[in-house]
Amino acid sequence: MLSTARNELRPVKRAALPFDSRARVATRTAIAIAVILLAAWVAREFLVALTWAAVIAIAAWPIYIRFATAVLGGRSPALAALLFTLLTGLVLLVPIALAVQQIAQGSNAFARSLNQLQESGIPVPAWLGRLPIAGEYLDAWWRANLSNPEALVEWLRSANTENITAWTSTLGGALLHRLFLFLMTLIALFLVFRDGAWLADHALAAAVRLLGDPGERLVLKIADAVRATVSGTVAASILKGGVVGVGYVLTGVPHPLLFAVSTMTLAMVPLGAWLALMTAVSVLLIHGGSWLVAAGLAGFGAAVLVIGENVIQPALIGGAAHMPFLLVLIGMFGGMQSFGLLGLFLGPVIMAALLTIWREWIGVGD
């Protein structure tokens, strides 16, 4: 009876459907594409974190190899990947920590400013009344509304507290979501560092299988473009923040280190450095700075940012990636418009891939 049951449970071999080779390849390709799209849809919330991990890993891979060899002699890839991932996370968080430390140092001055506002309101800047056309009107409005403590308190009370509470709640939720994505980025970064050699070999093998020899050159060109974009962006941000920071010190902006670090960090975000510059100019004016000095700081900072964003940064990226200046510029700004901050790095990479494919097509080397 057992042998009969075993024979009944044995799978029956059936002949394959009478598909020709083209139909079979098309079916397998369609199924593979459907599975890839379905997996992308499932992981859509984490695609940004995974992309950031890939960009950071490709950019820092040469440094990681030297770190793993120097620290552990290459004997423990998992431990080396873990230590380097933690160090990378610290490097990314250092600007934020410096900003928080500077804000904490300035908290006493901020508390004194609040007490002064309650007692005497916001003093009228000396330059306000000297403005052409509307100077007298703005001076009178300021004295009636902002310099008068009672009017200032009434104006603050008229704010919609429900909207402020909702905005604070939304901001808190967004910060928690960003922290979760940052944690996912670090986890993915650890895995990429640990299995980087295996992933690189398989990526090259897949590219060669799909495209032949040009596929390997395309993958290598993409890696070079990623490293060039990251290194050029970081170097340009440090340069812009440092030069503008000198202007903060010379013009007497309060807490110049805080604003310099903020400018360096926000320089990697679209319009971020401009926001830091305008905030520094406003703080200078509020603390009694001269209108002429503030205008000079604004003009100097704007010139540095324009040159840095439109000349120095594209030149650094293009020189390292061996790409034309115009192509890098289009990739940077077009990428940011299409993909946000991540597009700052993806745009030049896409342009580098396009340039590589075009050169392979017409048979011209680098």
Side-chain angles (χ1 to χ4, degrees):
M1 183 174 64
L2 291 176
S3 60
T4 304
R6 189 179 297 112
N7 292 332
E8 291 177 354
L9 294 174
R10 187 173 298 164
V12 179
K13 293 184 178 180
R14 300 180 183 274
L17 293 176
F19 285 170
D20 59 12
S21 59
R22 290 185 178 180
R24 194 181 299 276
V25 170
T27 302
R28 292 169 58 185
T29 303
I31 293 175
I33 293 174
V35 171
I36 292 173
L37 292 177
L38 184 61
W41 182 77
V42 172
R44 64 190 183 280
E45 291 294 332
F46 307 101
L47 290 179
V48 174
L50 297 177
T51 305
W52 273 117
V55 168
I56 296 172
I58 293 173
W61 185 255
I63 303 175
Y64 166 69
I65 293 298
R66 290 195 290 268
F67 171 84
T69 303
V71 176
L72 301 170
R75 293 186 297 271
S76 179
L79 182 58
L82 178 60
L83 292 176
F84 196 79
T85 300
L86 294 177
L87 288 175
T88 304
L90 289 176
V91 169
L92 295 175
L93 291 176
V94 160
I96 299 176
L98 285 176
V100 171
Q101 187 258 349
Q102 288 292 311
I103 292 173
Q105 288 184 353
S107 59
N108 292 332
F110 180 71
R112 289 193 299 268
S113 298
L114 287 180
N115 292 331
Q116 183 180 0
L117 290 180
Q118 293 178 355
E119 295 175 359
S120 58
I122 304 176
V124 181
W127 52 266
L128 187 62
R130 296 194 295 269
L131 290 177
I133 302 175
E136 294 183 5
Y137 170 77
L138 292 175
D139 184 274
W141 180 88
W142 192 295
R143 294 181 186 278
N145 293 277
L146 301 181
S147 294
N148 187 348
E150 297 180 358
L152 183 61
V153 170
E154 287 296 325
W155 181 77
L156 292 175
R157 286 177 179 174
S158 65
N160 192 333
T161 56
E162 294 182 0
N163 290 341
I164 295 176
T165 303
W167 179 82
T168 305
S169 177
T170 303
L171 179 61
L175 288 176
L176 289 177
H177 181 65
R178 293 294 184 274
L179 287 175
F180 175 70
L181 290 180
F182 181 73
L183 178 61
M184 291 298 299
T185 301
L186 292 182
I187 294 173
L189 187 61
F190 162 72
L191 297 175
V192 174
F193 280 138
R194 189 191 65 180
D195 303 322
W198 181 87
L199 291 172
D201 291 340
H202 282 70
L204 288 175
V208 171
R209 185 177 180 85
L210 291 174
L211 303 174
D213 290 338
E216 181 177 357
R217 288 192 289 271
L218 178 62
V219 172
L220 295 177
K221 189 68 175 180
I222 288 175
D224 291 340
V226 169
R227 294 192 186 101
T229 304
V230 172
S231 60
T233 301
V234 173
S237 299
I238 294 175
L239 181 61
K240 289 183 288 186
V243 175
V244 176
V246 173
Y248 295 153
V249 175
L250 295 178
T251 55
V253 174
H255 305 289
L257 179 60
L258 169 62
F259 284 105
V261 173
S262 300
T263 305
M264 290 182 189
T265 305
L266 294 175
M268 291 182 283
V269 181
L271 300 179
W274 292 90
L275 176 62
L277 174 63
M278 292 301 103
T279 303
V281 172
S282 302
V283 170
L284 178 62
L285 290 174
I286 292 175
H287 281 75
S290 168
W291 180 85
L292 189 60
V293 173
L297 175 61
F300 171 74
V304 171
L305 295 182
V306 168
I307 295 173
E309 292 174 357
N310 296 280
V311 178
I312 296 177
Q313 186 172 343
L316 290 175
I317 296 173
H322 306 289
M323 292 172 58
F325 178 86
L326 181 61
L327 204 60
V328 175
L329 200 63
I330 293 174
M332 288 172 51
F333 290 102
M336 286 191 294
Q337 184 178 6
S338 302
F339 304 105
L341 176 60
L342 190 58
L344 178 64
F345 304 95
L346 291 183
V349 171
I350 293 172
M351 292 296 124
L354 174 64
L355 184 62
T356 302
I357 293 173
W358 177 70
R359 284 170 173 166
E360 291 291 343
W361 187 23
I362 64 175
V364 177
D366 289 342

